[in-house]
Amino acid sequence: QLFQQFHRAFNIFWLFQCVVVLIPGLAPYSYVTTLGGFAFVLGVTFLKDFYEDYQRLKSDRQANSQPVEVMRNGKFVKVPAWQLLVGDVVRVNANEQFPVDMVALTSSGEDGLCLVETSNLDGERNLKRYFALDATNKLNTPAA
């Protein structure tokens, strides 16, 4: 996190100012006030970033613990989202959230049409049209 703070031009300028203040005879004021202020700003920013990261961690844990229907051994079973593996076949019913990035293999909609709300990703509440793959759209039972 400290490295990210120095991607901001103001923090780089302030660090340069702190170095100049440490050189005797160049600064008309005490180095303690400059270094103290810089440390305070970095500390507050660090605490803010830590709080945001912690909130994101809690949100991720909640999302990853949601039950998902996944095909295992030819049957759909419910597992927590964190147990999904690359290549798993996931069944998503109407008005459910997508647990991961997915390819629509089949849909109960006409011509494989899926209407998806992507407000969690881009903030737009309108429905976007996606279509299941033509090659797999007729496969709508676990046995198929």
Side-chain angles (χ1 to χ4, degrees), residues 46 54 67 73 79:
F46 174 78
Y54 179 70
N73 299 322
V79 298

Side-chain angles (χ1 to χ4, degrees), residues 23-49:
I23 300 172
L26 287 181
Y29 43 87
S30 169
Y31 69 90
V32 175
T33 56
T34 303
L35 292 176
F38 187 51
F40 176 76
V41 168
L42 286 181
V44 168
T45 305
F46 174 78
L47 289 174
K48 178 191 71 81
D49 289 345

Side-chain angles (χ1 to χ4, degrees), residues 44-140:
V44 168
T45 305
F46 174 78
L47 289 174
K48 178 191 71 81
D49 289 345
F50 176 79
Y51 177 75
E52 289 172 355
D53 288 346
Y54 179 70
Q55 294 301 324
R56 193 174 309 118
L57 174 69
K58 285 183 3 181
S59 174
D60 288 347
R61 283 187 177 163
Q62 180 183 9
N64 290 335
S65 66
Q66 296 299 315
V68 176
E69 285 187 77
V70 63
M71 184 178 284
R72 299 277 162 87
N73 299 322
K75 296 180 182 179
F76 282 103
V77 295
K78 288 196 179 239
V79 298
W82 64 268
Q83 288 185 353
L84 288 175
L85 302 172
V86 174
D88 275 346
V89 176
V90 178
R91 178 169 39 197
V92 179
N93 297 310
N95 301 318
E96 287 184 351
Q97 290 189 3
F98 290 111
V100 293
D101 292 337
M102 295 190 294
V103 174
L105 298 177
T106 185
S107 170
S108 62
E110 186 176 315
D111 295 327
L113 174 66
C114 302
L115 297 174
V116 179
E117 180 185 319
T118 59
S119 62
N120 287 348
L121 300 174
D122 57 16
E124 295 181 15
R125 296 202 48 91
N126 57 333
L127 297 175
K128 294 189 170 82
R129 297 166 49 111
Y130 292 97
F131 291 91
L133 299 172
D134 289 336
T136 59
N137 190 32
K138 302 297 183 226
L139 305 174
N140 54 11

Side-chain angles (χ1 to χ4, degrees), residues 6-28:
F6 292 106
H7 281 91
R8 298 179 181 152
F10 182 73
N11 287 347
I12 293 172
F13 169 76
W14 204 342
L15 178 65
F16 177 73
Q17 182 182 356
C18 288
V19 170
V20 170
V21 166
L22 292 176
I23 300 172
L26 287 181

